[in-house]
């Protein structure tokens, strides 16, 4: 009989920290970091862009990167509840099911709202009827358990719990592992701009203005330098011409005296 291990992880609040597990034929820690860094090199990425990029890397490269879910949704729009649980050893075969529970604000109990057992997905609560869509792994070895909420309402504010029930097919025995993650979701009327995005935009405009002023100053300095050289050249020509006229006059006076 396999042993049962319960793994409880802290609520997912930050998107900056990225956790990696070992994998075979998938992206390494440095490769995923390079992808995220390269994607955000030219312009700062928002949290949503970072989550989507990490999600894309995990899907396309058959690897796994545990990225925390976003925690702020806008009323009337869609929202992706992220939940990723990577296996310790990618080469070990496994099968997993995913359950989502929801606890509204000021309530004590969780409601079972969604269950996924490949290939079947079931919405289990009427409040989320026709509003939940599976966006996770599309095979039995589930490592991405994300679900998409359509038409978010203020009643969706609360705590969401994502639970992986994973069976590892080890050579000598089966091992069952339970992984739980929680997302504290806040629903707002208007999306709040991220501080990093605001700072980046301000810095961008400051640099544009400074560079333009610097260019104007350089152009004025070059124009003055060219104008001064032109004035000096004209003055030298005038002096030379005046000297030639004086020399010609002296020659004429000498001829008349003779």
């Amino acid at each position: 009989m396999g042993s049962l291990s319960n793994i409880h992880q802290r609520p997912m609040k930050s998107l900056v920290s990225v956790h990696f597990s070992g994998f075979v034929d998938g992206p390494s820690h440095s490769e995923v970091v390079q992808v995220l860094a390269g994607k955000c090199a030219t312009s700062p990425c928002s949290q949503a862009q970072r989550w989507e990029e990490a999600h894309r890397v995990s899907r396309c490269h058959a690897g796994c990167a545990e990225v925390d879910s976003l925690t702020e949704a806008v009323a009337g729009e869609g929202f992706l509840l992220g939940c990723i649980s990577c296996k310790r050893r990618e080469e070990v075969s496994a099968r997993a099911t995913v359950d989502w529970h929801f606890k509204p604000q000021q309530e004590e109990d969780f409601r079972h709202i969604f269950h996924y057992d490949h290939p079947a997905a079931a919405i289990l609560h009427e409040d989320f009827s026709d509003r939940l869509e599976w966006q996770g792994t599309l095979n039995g070895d589930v490592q991405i358990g994300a679900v998409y909420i359509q038409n978010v309402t203020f009643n969706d504010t609360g705590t969401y719990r994502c639970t992986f029930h994973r069976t590892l097919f080890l050579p000598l025995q089966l091992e069952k592992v339970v992984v739980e993650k929680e997302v504290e979701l806040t629903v707002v009327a208007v999306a709040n701009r991220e501080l990093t995005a605001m700072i980046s935009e301000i810095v961008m405009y400051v640099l544009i203005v400074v560079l333009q002023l610097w260019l104007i100053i350089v152009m004025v300095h070059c124009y003055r330098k060219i104008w001064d050289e032109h004035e000096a050249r004209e003055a030298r020509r005038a002096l030379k011409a005046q000297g030639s006229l004086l020399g010609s006059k002296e020659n004429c006076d000498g001829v008349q005296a003779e």
Side-chain angles (χ1 to χ4, degrees):
M1 296 294 293
S3 61
L4 180 63
S5 302
N6 291 318
I7 303 175
H8 299 281
Q9 302 192 10
R10 293 181 298 176
M12 300 186 288
K13 297 180 180 179
S14 171
L15 192 68
V16 177
S17 60
V18 183
H19 309 285
F20 301 91
S21 65
F23 16 51
V24 174
D25 297 330
S28 63
H29 178 285
S30 59
E31 288 174 339
V32 179
V33 170
Q34 288 174 2
V35 171
L36 292 176
K39 184 73 175 181
C40 304
T42 55
S43 60
C45 291
S46 66
Q47 291 185 346
Q49 290 172 329
R50 289 180 179 273
W51 205 99
E52 291 173 359
E53 185 63 18
H55 192 182
R56 183 189 67 79
V57 172
S58 297
R59 280 174 168 266
C60 297
H61 294 273
C64 185
E66 292 192 7
V67 182
D68 296 343
S69 175
L70 303 181
T71 58
E72 185 179 280
V74 180
E77 299 182 3
F79 181 78
L80 182 67
L81 275 172
C83 183
I84 302 177
S85 173
C86 300
K87 295 187 301 184
R88 296 287 182 178
R89 299 290 297 274
E90 189 70 18
E91 69 271 17
V92 176
S93 299
R95 182 173 179 82
T97 62
V98 178
D99 291 280
W100 279 93
H101 295 77
F102 170 59
K103 183 179 71 173
Q105 280 186 324
Q106 300 177 349
E107 290 193 15
E108 296 282 333
D109 300 326
F110 278 89
R111 308 169 181 175
H112 196 184
I113 63 173
F114 188 84
H115 176 74
Y116 181 79
D117 187 357
H118 182 76
I123 300 175
L124 305 177
H125 198 279
E126 59 182 5
D127 290 348
F128 293 89
S129 179
D130 298 326
R131 291 203 300 132
L132 292 180
E133 180 182 349
W134 177 252
Q135 291 290 324
T137 307
L138 298 178
N139 57 56
D141 189 3
V142 180
Q143 297 188 75
I144 301 176
V147 293
Y148 186 78
I149 307 177
Q150 299 179 1
N151 191 23
V152 175
T153 67
F154 289 101
N155 293 330
D156 296 331
T157 299
T159 304
Y160 291 81
R161 177 180 292 167
C162 167
T163 306
F164 284 82
H165 296 273
R166 177 173 291 127
T167 302
L168 300 173
F169 302 108
L170 301 177
L172 299 179
Q173 63 180 3
L174 301 181
E175 182 176 353
K176 296 184 181 297
V177 180
V178 177
V179 180
E180 290 186 352
K181 296 188 176 185
E182 291 186 355
V183 181
E184 297 288 344
L185 181 63
T186 302
V187 180
V188 297
V190 180
N192 296 321
R193 296 191 62 186
E194 297 178 16
L195 180 61
T196 54
M198 295 177 62
I199 294 176
S200 300
E201 186 174 349
I202 293 173
V203 171
M204 179 185 68
Y205 286 120
V206 169
L207 286 176
I208 291 175
V209 173
V210 170
L211 289 175
Q212 288 181 342
L213 291 176
W214 177 79
L215 181 61
I216 292 173
I217 292 173
V218 171
M219 292 178 64
V220 171
H221 175 73
C222 293
Y223 176 78
R224 286 182 175 178
K225 187 174 181 180
I226 294 172
W227 178 256
D228 291 341
E229 291 180 354
H230 173 73
E231 291 291 324
R233 186 167 55 252
E234 291 297 323
R236 288 195 299 270
R237 287 180 179 177
L239 289 175
K240 186 177 180 180
Q242 185 177 4
S244 299
L245 289 175
L246 290 175
S248 299
K249 184 176 181 182
E250 289 177 357
N251 292 333
C252 290
D253 292 340
V255 170
Q256 291 177 357
E258 291 178 357

